Amino acid sequence: MARYGMVIDLHKCVGCGACGIACKNENNVDQGMFWAHHLKRTTGVFPNVSYEYVPTLCNHCDNAACVKACPTKAMYKDDKGLTLHNPDKCIGCKSCMQACPYDVINFNSKEPHAFWRDSTSLIDKGTGSGQETSQKTGQKLPYYNPERATTYAGIRPKGIVEKCTLCDHRLAKDEQPYCAYSCPSGARIVGDFDDPTSEVNKLIAQYGYKQLKPHAGTKPKVFYIRHF
Amino acid sequence: MTSPTYTQDLTLTANAYKLISLLFGPPSDGLEEVLTHLEQTLAILKPKLIPLVNEMKSLSDSESKLEDLTVDFAKLFIGPFDLLAPPYGSVYLDGQRRVMGDSTVKVLKFYRQAGLNLSDEFKEPPDHIVTELEFMYYLMAKHIETGDTHWLLMKEEFFEDYLSQWIKDFVARIQENAKNNFYKNLAQISLELFS
Amino acid sequence: MEMTRRRFLQASAATGLLVAGTTGIPALKALAEGENTSASVEGKWLSTLCQGCTTWCAMQAYVVEGRVIKVRGNPNSKASHGKVCPRAHLAIQQMYDPDRVKVPMKRTNPKKGRNEDPKFVPITWEEAIDTITDKMMELRKNNEPEKYVLMRGRYSGMADILYDATTKIFGSPNNISHSAICAEAEKFGPYYTEAYWDYRDYDLAETEYVLLWGADPVASNRQVPHAINIWGKVLDQATVVAIDPRLSASAAKAQEWMPVIPGEDGALAVAIAHVILSEGLWNKEFVGDFKDGVNLFKKGQTVSEELFEEKLTFGIVKWWNLELKDRTPEWAAERAGVPAEQIIRVARGFAKAAPRAISWLSPGASMQVRGAYTAMASHALNALVGSVENIGGTLRGSSVPTGKIPSYADYQDDLSKKGTKNKKIDQRGTKEFPALKDGKSGGGVVTNRVADGMLDKDPYEIKMALAYWCNFPFSCSGAQRWEKALEQLPFLVHITTNPSEMAQYADIVLPAAFHAFEKWAFNKSKANKIAFASIQQRVVEPIWDVRIDETEITWMIAESLAKKGFPNLLDYFKNEIKDPESGKAPTTPMEFNMALLKQLTQNVWDPSKEKKGDTLNGWQDFVDKGVWNSVEPDYFKNWDKFGTETKKFEFYSETLKKALNGHAEKTKTNVDDVMQATKYQARGELAFVPHYEEPFRWGEESEYPFIFFEHRSRLNREARSANTLWYQEFKDVDPGDEAWDDVAKINPVDGAKLGIKTGDKIRITSPTGSITCSAKLWEGVRPGTVGKCYGQGHWAYGKIAAQDYNKRTPRGGNNNEILPSDFERLSGSTARHGGVTRIKIEKA
């Protein structure tokens, strides 16, 4: 067994959003859905103002509320401690979304990537269209990442939920999750919390940590160190 | 738009594509059932074609007749020497049989865009008539299932840009070269349905 | 045989037949649903270059089956630590933008205007080029080639072939760059103190104090990935102070935020200098000291020059006497709205960190009507603490040994020689527009003046323009003037990826290859003490019928001109541009592109050429690695030979004095009159030292109660990314901003007074224009000021960028429609910052 999770160093984080954008890119996530996103807060009164930015993603909780709530075992814990989702078992009941305290599970209420099926062009025969572009590239999404499909539905169909898998398809190849890989500040560190020598354990030992909604009892495995 | 007759017509057309796709496969015992379905489908869509179907039934109702068909099928569509009516779009569109020619890549892109891949069991390239007809059927089926018009648009586009560009030449070669009326009739029905 | 419905249902399951009125899953034989899940999708990382901003980072694109899937920083790039910022990812959606112009088009509605549908129809490349060269030949036939103008926006290292050679061989002086709407004013500071007209590099790894003058390094220009990557370390070891009217991305992370009143940056700069001198905190090694070691810089008192022995600087006492002696922190606090204690604290901290202290210039504090002296003052702080070319300080870059285009003088005929001698349409070098780049009157471009020159036909009429990768009716302040100027321009060719605002006025629209993934080119830049050259590679075959702007299109024009009796341009290309490996002259547009690219970069990739930096093993190695890195520059390199008039770092700028006198002589007047004409307040000797100038603002406070200022987005790819989904979905990563929206940030105190809430639609009006957008009440801006990001407000460009392209309804409002066209005239720069206009706000 392993317990994979993430440390986010808020001191290094500059709030640029590269993690969230890269995530959508890697996982073929449709418009309006976010597997990795952020919380923002501006506090104080001018000129004593502070701004905080907290990157968010699935916490891959040890005691995952979504897994407990799922009636079909579509949501499950794997042997790396990841909270994963099996689209074949998912019936789209949204129980997991209601149970998750972090609002990181998304529901496909429509057939995804409608943007790339839109056939209207602004200038007839002069400019392209979403449909023409996707057709020219031969994919539902011109920059469709086929590697995503090696462990999860490449694009999740209408009627089911979807969420962060901590890029299990990349971890399987010994690569960092793409959000961590794409973070220009090196603020996201992924590792095994069961391994006492891991970088993630060292970091939380050195700096202490905060978690989001620890009282929800879900034992989240995204640990925030230092301050934005 | 979604009146019952409209949906029924779409369903029948989709089924006709599927059935013709099956008939362009190797002759087998199941032919009778497929032809019966085709007859029923055409009864509403194009009744004047029913005599052609009936003749096809009579040409496939025994083991020996099926053997004749198999010979004709092989000469037209399989080889081993020059195919009399190659069932591959690239032959007509690129001027030669190119397994991954420009037009074939285009077809593959259409499939991918619809979320489809080639089946592992069917060992033919993407531009085979069976595959393309099945694709037309699939797109219509998805439209009926979801009510989303983009499937229908995709079907029309696939037909306009691709299938319509070669199917007439293909059936003409069958009509010219087939020994057996079975495939001549199949060619005639295809022509009627696709023009 | 009759089939019952029941039998049919059973059969249909086997054959996959559908039954009307039921929904079933279609059965497939030849095809299969779902994606290919086998791992046989191996892609390849190919090197190229991001041009989302002018950091110009070397990056790599992951290509699978001819598609760009994703991007990353080029691991070989030392300047960027192998990273890219969030902008780079948006490049993918930019290339696959559904609204891209896919074929050449011509206008069929001769009437031009924002609300005129150009009625574009597709044409062939042949017809497009033929029409263009007909117009060009007509100008030559009428002996007026100067009436052609080339407008350059985003460009590559190969630009000169179109920008310079083509324009000049054709016979026009009018090659107009966008530079002056971007940055030129900030370069004025280092030039007129240490004779360096360029962006600086900064030694962040070693620094202990960073003063950001409106700069937002973790978010925008320049060196963004480097800054983001190192910022955690910088914050660990240094004090960061953000001087910015807005709580910027960098201010949010800084230890100190000095929320200066827009345009008052200069007051803070001279007050910080005052504190450093009056408290004796200057760097003695660099500046020198009083001969007897007693500090005589006392508030309000002049000092005798001979008492001070200067070392590497010139004019410290003159500066004190002319300007600094009265510029106390208390005086500055009143002007700038920042407490005197904070000014003192920052000045002391900055000086104590010397020489590991950086005063970081940016457009924000210099692209102001009277911003040239702020650029000088803030850069002079570096000299006061001796951080110029010092460890942990401000640096110049190493050189990149790329080549220049061959001389074309022999290919100019009499007509082109005569034509190019005409004055330029941007009025540079006139009394009002000194544009003193590199010390020369009219040495720099005055980009935004071109619209006025065209409208007034001053110095003459422009009849034809070829504009590439620019969008002046959107990106220039006083944007409405550009719309008018383009309405009356007889013939416009626009090379563009999108149906932009500028394209709406075009007679011919040519689809441009998208720089990051569809072009073969190169560029050079610097960051993290490393200068570099990076390849820009066509990593995928373009899906549309595009051409490379500077080379392929230029070649096609040259060929067509040759056919019509003007072979000079084609001769120049064929004779002077050769593939350095094969020695062959090009015969096609793409061969020309590749030959030129290899020729200009040969020093970089040819292992036999000596240079200070990486050794590459030939052309293919350059393409594969994607980047050539220089060595780090030496510290103290110019300490004994600053290129100024005095060879010293000048606090009293003899260099500027010479330039201003030269300009005054040329325009037959004196320096005081030039100051008057350029809207400056200084008279006499004050014009030669960094000094405070009151901000110049359009509009009376009684009618326009708020000071408006604008800023940049960390997702702006030069205002070209607003048509991407990710830009809109993540627009809220700019502090205070909202996704899918364009907000004016208003302090809640003002919001309450106006009865305006967050989310209300508001109309913002300045003396020159009016826009609508959403209100956002936010504590990150000062009461009395309103801040808004640039980048939204497109009324064309695409389906996402515009709220309704067909109706010309913008998403939000373009700041450039309320910003009046004004200038920092000494540099020629557009003055978009410093609260150049006042505004009023109403509910819309």
Side-chain angles (χ1 to χ4, degrees):
Chain A
M1 276 295 278
R3 284 171 60 243
Y4 271 84
M6 186 182 285
V7 166
I8 299 181
D9 186 343
L10 294 172
H11 177 79
K12 285 187 177 175
C13 173
V14 299
C16 74
C19 46
I21 297 170
C23 169
K24 296 196 76 151
N25 190 179
E26 176 71 28
N27 296 300
N28 309 316
V29 178
D30 193 17
Q31 179 184 342
M33 291 196 261
F34 301 90
W35 292 9
H37 207 222
H38 51 258
L39 304 167
K40 302 193 332 170
R41 191 167 62 165
T42 305
T43 48
V45 174
F46 179 91
N48 301 308
V49 193
S50 72
Y51 171 83
E52 285 168 276
Y53 180 99
V54 179
T56 56
L57 69 161
C58 170
N59 280 277
H60 294 279
C61 306
D62 279 341
N63 187 24
C66 58
V67 172
K68 284 194 198 156
C70 178
T72 64
K73 298 199 167 75
M75 207 63 90
Y76 65 101
K77 297 295 291 184
D78 85 338
D79 59 2
K80 286 195 175 83
L82 304 178
T83 305
L84 298 181
H85 171 241
N86 182 345
D88 295 335
K89 289 187 183 169
C90 180
I91 55 170
C93 69
K94 303 193 204 177
S95 303
C96 55
M97 292 173 73
Q98 282 168 359
C100 172
Y102 304 109
D103 199 19
V104 291
I105 305 175
N106 303 268
F107 180 69
N108 284 282
S109 61
K110 294 181 291 249
E111 196 183 333
H113 298 298
F115 182 76
W116 299 102
R117 294 195 301 273
D118 180 2
S119 60
T120 50
S121 59
L122 296 177
I123 301 168
D124 187 34
K125 298 185 177 65
T127 56
S129 69
Q131 191 192 51
E132 208 181 343
T133 306
S134 60
Q135 208 162 79
K136 287 263 182 191
T137 54
Q139 295 289 348
K140 285 182 178 177
L141 180 64
Y143 41 88
Y144 171 76
N145 175 17
E147 287 169 15
R148 175 62 277 187
T150 54
T151 63
Y152 195 25
I155 292 170
R156 282 63 54 191
K158 177 180 166 180
I160 67 166
V161 301
E162 62 177 71
K163 62 173 277 297
C164 162
T165 68
L166 208 68
C167 283
D168 60 323
H169 61 297
R170 291 176 60 91
L171 289 175
K173 292 191 288 177
D174 218 16
E175 291 173 340
Q176 298 173 73
Y178 196 57
C179 59
Y181 186 77
S182 300
C183 173
S185 72
R188 292 163 94 97
I189 303 99
V190 174
D192 179 3
F193 285 98
D194 271 354
D195 173 2
T197 66
S198 66
E199 177 75 10
V200 285
N201 271 326
K202 281 187 203 159
L203 285 168
I204 58 173
Q206 182 181 353
Y207 293 111
Y209 61 85
K210 279 178 292 193
Q211 292 162 305
L212 293 178
K213 300 185 184 172
H215 304 302
T218 54
K219 299 189 180 161
K221 284 206 312 297
V222 174
F223 295 81
Y224 297 91
I225 61 169
R226 303 204 275 177
H227 301 283
F228 185 76
Chain B
M1 275 295 278
T2 50
S3 68
T5 45
Y6 171 78
T7 312
Q8 194 193 11
D9 279 0
L10 281 179
T11 309
L12 289 170
T13 311
N15 286 344
Y17 292 169
K18 174 73 180 177
L19 291 164
I20 291 178
S21 162
L22 291 169
L23 290 169
F24 274 116
S28 70
D29 300 343
L31 276 184
E32 191 202 342
E33 193 182 337
V34 173
L35 288 167
T36 305
H37 284 306
L38 186 62
E39 185 192 346
Q40 293 196 331
T41 307
L42 293 177
I44 302 168
L45 278 182
K46 291 223 172 184
K48 67 167 184 170
L49 297 176
I50 289 179
L52 295 174
V53 181
N54 286 332
E55 191 185 359
M56 289 167 77
K57 274 190 186 170
S58 68
L59 289 168
S60 59
D61 59 5
S62 73
E63 280 294 315
S64 65
K65 284 178 182 170
L66 271 179
E67 267 169 38
D68 291 347
L69 281 189
T70 308
V71 173
D72 213 17
F73 177 84
K75 282 189 180 162
L76 288 168
F77 307 131
I78 301 185
F81 307 108
D82 289 345
L83 303 190
L84 298 172
Y88 308 103
S90 57
V91 174
Y92 305 87
L93 297 170
D94 300 338
Q96 55 175 310
R97 171 86 191 277
R98 292 177 60 196
V99 175
M100 274 307 182
D102 290 352
S103 66
T104 315
V105 170
K106 207 165 134 190
V107 170
L108 203 53
K109 284 183 174 180
F110 267 109
Y111 298 162
R112 295 251 175 97
Q113 204 199 348
L116 294 176
N117 258 298
L118 295 178
S119 151
D120 289 341
E121 282 96 64
F122 190 72
K123 307 284 183 206
E124 292 283 358
D127 61 337
H128 196 278
I129 184 71
V130 167
T131 320
E132 293 189 3
L133 288 174
E134 188 174 280
F135 183 54
M136 299 269 287
Y137 148 84
Y138 177 78
L139 293 174
M140 295 186 80
K142 288 302 278 187
H143 168 67
I144 294 162
E145 181 194 334
T146 62
D148 196 336
T149 51
H150 91 264
W151 296 108
L152 217 47
L153 292 172
M154 203 191 283
K155 187 217 96 183
E156 275 156 24
E157 205 169 332
F158 179 76
F159 183 71
E160 287 301 318
D161 287 7
Y162 195 74
L163 188 54
S164 71
Q165 309 277 333
W166 69 280
I167 192 150
K168 277 185 191 160
D169 292 340
F170 170 59
V171 299
R173 305 250 312 238
I174 301 175
Q175 285 179 323
E176 215 173 284
N177 296 305
K179 292 259 176 325
N180 193 307
N181 268 357
F182 184 93
Y183 286 110
K184 288 194 185 190
N185 289 4
L186 179 58
Q188 185 61 32
I189 294 167
S190 305
L191 195 62
E192 295 273 347
L193 280 176
F194 293 113
S195 49
Chain C
M1 182 166 90
E2 275 299 308
M3 257 193 188
T4 62
R5 185 176 165 80
R6 187 181 155 78
R7 169 108 197 275
F8 186 87
L9 279 172
Q10 285 166 347
S12 69
T15 51
L17 294 191
L18 309 169
V19 181
T22 69
T23 53
I25 293 156
L28 295 172
K29 257 181 75 181
L31 294 161
E33 265 180 332
E35 289 119 339
N36 185 357
T37 53
S38 68
S40 64
V41 284
E42 272 304 287
K44 229 179 159 175
W45 287 102
L46 297 175
S47 296
T48 187
L49 169 71
C50 179
Q51 286 195 290
C53 74
T54 56
T55 307
W56 291 347
C57 294
M59 71 167 173
Q60 293 186 325
Y62 191 63
V63 176
V64 175
E65 295 175 332
R67 296 178 299 117
V68 172
I69 308 275
K70 47 193 173 182
V71 298
R72 69 178 183 192
N74 184 330
N76 303 311
S77 170
K78 295 179 185 167
S80 61
H81 310 265
K83 301 289 179 191
V84 284
C85 80
R87 281 179 189 80
H89 303 283
L90 306 187
I92 301 169
Q93 290 192 330
Q94 244 184 311
M95 174 171 67
Y96 292 124
D97 186 333
D99 300 320
R100 281 194 62 182
V101 178
K102 56 184 190 179
V103 286
M105 304 189 292
K106 73 175 174 194
R107 170 180 215 96
T108 60
N109 176 7
K111 279 186 81 182
K112 295 180 181 179
R114 187 189 285 210
N115 294 311
E116 290 291 336
D117 180 349
K119 298 212 160 69
F120 286 123
V121 295
I123 53 172
T124 62
W125 274 99
E126 291 69 31
E127 183 184 345
I129 299 292
D130 191 50
T131 310
I132 294 165
T133 54
D134 272 356
K135 295 284 175 188
M136 292 174 83
M137 289 307 288
E138 196 179 308
L139 291 179
R140 283 188 66 87
K141 202 180 90 201
N142 297 334
N143 292 320
E144 48 183 21
E146 69 277 7
K147 296 183 178 173
Y148 162 97
V149 55
L150 185 281
M151 298 174 185
R152 175 177 89 168
R154 179 46 52 225
Y155 58 90
S156 82
M158 313 201 318
D160 276 347
I161 211 76
L162 170 60
Y163 172 72
D164 188 16
T166 301
T167 313
K168 303 290 175 57
I169 292 173
F170 175 71
S172 171
N174 289 312
N175 51 349
I176 301 295
S177 170
H178 75 280
S179 341
I181 62 170
C182 282
E184 293 307 282
E186 82 169 80
K187 298 175 186 170
F188 189 92
Y191 186 83
Y192 286 105
T193 51
E194 58 162 306
Y196 184 59
W197 190 283
D198 205 342
Y199 297 111
R200 281 85 32 229
D201 201 351
Y202 298 105
D203 195 2
L204 287 172
E206 300 290 342
T207 199
E208 290 171 10
Y209 211 98
V210 186
L211 268 184
L212 300 170
W213 293 97
D216 195 4
V218 300
S220 68
N221 238 352
R222 303 178 61 244
Q223 315 192 338
V224 184
H226 164 48
I228 293 178
N229 192 259
I230 205 168
W231 215 248
K233 175 175 154 66
V234 170
L235 291 170
D236 280 337
Q237 72 193 27
T239 302
V240 178
V241 180
I243 299 156
D244 202 308
R246 165 185 72 115
L247 187 71
S248 67
S250 300
K253 299 280 304 177
Q255 285 92 339
E256 299 246 13
W257 176 38
M258 297 177 102
V260 62
I261 293 171
E264 297 284 3
D265 314 74
L268 293 177
V270 294
I272 289 171
H274 176 96
V275 173
I276 290 172
L277 291 189
S278 61
E279 297 194 3
L281 300 173
W282 71 89
N283 182 285
K284 314 287 188 300
E285 187 199 359
F286 193 78
V287 181
D289 201 357
F290 284 99
K291 287 174 180 162
D292 61 3
V294 178
N295 184 12
L296 298 177
F297 292 132
K298 299 232 158 43
K299 182 175 111 183
Q301 294 181 18
T302 56
V303 171
S304 173
E305 284 180 44
E306 57 268 27
L307 299 176
F308 198 100
E309 193 170 349
E310 259 181 298
K311 291 180 86 171
L312 300 169
T313 61
F314 176 81
I316 182 79
V317 178
K318 279 186 205 283
W319 188 22
W320 172 265
N321 290 344
L322 284 166
E323 170 67 8
L324 298 181
K325 66 178 177 9
D326 302 315
R327 300 308 191 193
T328 61
E330 293 73 22
W331 165 85
E334 209 151 294
R335 305 283 340 166
V338 173
E341 309 83 72
Q342 193 181 20
I343 298 171
I344 295 166
R345 183 168 69 237
V346 167
R348 287 176 182 161
F350 180 70
K352 281 187 183 134
R356 293 170 184 264
I358 292 167
S359 175
W360 186 313
L361 282 67
S362 82
S366 57
M367 289 176 80
Q368 308 181 354
V369 177
R370 293 168 177 158
Y373 292 99
T374 308
M376 284 175 80
S378 46
H379 190 59
L381 295 178
N382 288 310
L384 282 186
V385 297
S387 69
V388 178
E389 292 193 292
N390 208 333
I391 300 159
T394 160
L395 308 174
R396 300 187 185 189
S398 294
S399 64
V400 179
T402 47
K404 288 191 163 54
I405 59 164
S407 167
Y408 50 77
D410 292 347
Y411 298 87
Q412 287 183 295
D413 62 9
D414 289 343
L415 183 58
S416 82
K417 279 181 192 149
K418 183 174 145 269
T420 48
K421 285 204 184 79
N422 279 282
K423 289 192 168 132
K424 297 197 186 212
I425 190 64
D426 64 350
Q427 303 175 2
R428 72 182 73 175
T430 57
K431 182 170 86 175
E432 197 191 338
F433 292 96
L436 300 172
K437 182 183 177 187
D438 289 333
K440 287 186 287 288
S441 168
V445 64
V446 193
T447 313
N448 205 3
R449 192 63 183 168
V450 172
D452 306 301
M454 286 168 63
L455 281 166
D456 301 342
K457 301 182 174 32
D458 177 14
Y460 43 80
E461 186 187 8
I462 293 297
K463 291 190 171 169
M464 162 175 192
L466 177 62
Y468 79 97
W469 276 85
C470 57
N471 191 14
F472 293 151
F474 184 83
S475 60
C476 285
S477 58
Q480 298 91 332
R481 294 164 314 119
W482 276 97
E483 294 189 37
K484 286 207 183 70
L486 296 177
E487 272 170 30
Q488 63 164 46
L489 174 66
F491 190 71
L492 171 65
V493 182
H494 195 217
I495 305 174
T496 181
T497 55
N498 280 63
S500 65
E501 284 74 9
M502 195 154 189
Q504 306 307 317
Y505 298 88
D507 295 274
I508 299 279
V509 177
L510 300 178
F514 178 66
H515 47 31
F517 308 126
E518 296 174 345
K519 256 178 102 163
W520 277 103
F522 79 99
N523 258 308
K524 48 186 188 173
S525 186
K526 61 173 181 275
N528 193 23
K529 296 193 264 189
I530 301 293
F532 64 93
S534 170
I535 192 84
Q536 196 160 55
Q537 185 178 173
R538 175 168 283 184
V539 296
V540 292
E541 276 310 304
I543 58 178
W544 308 122
D545 192 13
V546 299
R547 296 289 186 279
I548 298 177
D549 43 14
E550 289 156 347
T551 49
E552 288 191 289
I553 292 174
T554 311
W555 176 273
M556 292 191 285
I557 287 174
E559 274 190 326
S560 175
L561 287 173
K563 274 187 205 142
K564 293 177 184 177
F566 182 65
N568 302 34
L569 189 59
L570 190 63
D571 288 346
Y572 167 66
F573 293 167
K574 283 186 167 169
N575 296 340
E576 306 293 339
I577 309 300
K578 300 253 157 58
D579 184 315
E581 290 185 305
S582 68
K584 272 196 208 149
T587 61
T588 66
M590 189 49 100
E591 279 178 23
F592 175 58
N593 183 83
M594 297 314 288
L596 179 66
L597 173 56
K598 285 161 118 181
Q599 185 169 328
L600 293 180
T601 56
Q602 186 178 4
N603 289 340
V604 162
W605 52 261
D606 186 338
S608 70
K609 307 277 182 187
E610 285 226 0
K611 56 205 165 260
K612 290 181 180 168
D614 295 352
T615 302
L616 296 169
N617 292 320
W619 165 251
Q620 193 55 45
D621 198 30
F622 181 40
V623 174
D624 293 343
K625 291 210 173 76
V627 65
W628 175 91
N629 299 291
S630 76
V631 296
E632 293 188 3
D634 296 330
Y635 291 114
F636 322 120
K637 197 172 159 199
N638 294 285
W639 275 27
D640 55 354
K641 52 172 186 333
F642 287 111
T644 55
E645 285 301 301
T646 60
K647 310 291 173 214
K648 305 281 187 185
F649 187 103
E650 295 180 342
F651 294 125
Y652 178 93
S653 182
E654 290 287 356
T655 308
L656 179 54
K657 190 178 190 174
K658 187 180 171 201
L660 282 172
N661 277 319
H663 178 72
E665 254 168 58
K666 178 176 145 191
T667 55
K668 300 187 175 57
T669 184
N670 56 51
V671 172
D672 278 355
D673 186 41
V674 169
M675 288 287 111
Q676 166 88 27
T678 55
K679 295 199 180 175
Y680 277 97
Q681 296 171 305
R683 298 293 179 270
E685 291 275 278
L686 200 55
F688 312 130
V689 294
H691 65 270
Y692 172 75
E693 294 260 345
E694 282 172 33
F696 181 93
R697 302 196 206 285
W698 287 58
E700 289 302 319
E701 189 171 356
S702 52
E703 191 182 353
Y704 301 100
F706 296 97
I707 297 172
F708 179 80
F709 70 90
E710 74 159 3
H711 64 88
R712 293 295 177 265
S713 168
R714 65 204 326 168
L715 297 183
N716 271 7
R717 294 177 57 87
E718 304 184 318
R720 295 190 183 92
S721 47
N723 204 47
T724 67
L725 290 170
W726 292 336
Y727 178 91
Q728 298 293 350
E729 290 196 286
F730 286 88
K731 186 69 184 72
D732 64 340
V733 297
D734 292 316
D737 280 9
E738 298 290 339
W740 288 98
D741 207 351
D742 186 27
V743 302
K745 293 177 279 283
I746 302 167
N747 188 279
V749 171
D750 293 328
K753 274 190 223 158
L754 294 164
I756 284 171
K757 300 182 304 298
T758 291
D760 286 352
K761 293 287 162 234
I762 54 171
R763 171 169 294 279
I764 299 181
T765 306
S766 79
T768 57
S770 187
I771 57 172
T772 54
C773 65
S774 302
K776 171 73 182 278
L777 304 189
W778 194 51
E779 291 288 354
V781 294
R782 168 190 296 276
T785 68
V786 173
K788 187 168 163 294
C789 190
Y790 167 68
Q792 298 270 40
H794 280 283
W795 52 266
Y797 214 85
K799 291 187 208 86
I800 300 176
Q803 191 81 44
D804 186 335
Y805 176 93
N806 293 317
K807 291 186 183 141
R808 306 296 194 237
T809 313
R811 180 180 300 281
N814 179 7
N815 294 353
N816 284 321
E817 290 178 27
I818 52 170
L819 287 169
S821 170
D822 211 331
F823 300 87
E824 192 302 288
R825 290 165 172 75
L826 297 184
S827 64
S829 173
T830 281
R832 59 169 81 255
H833 294 299
V836 63
T837 191
R838 293 184 155 277
I839 55 161
K840 62 181 172 191
I841 301 174
E842 300 146 296
K843 269 198 187 177

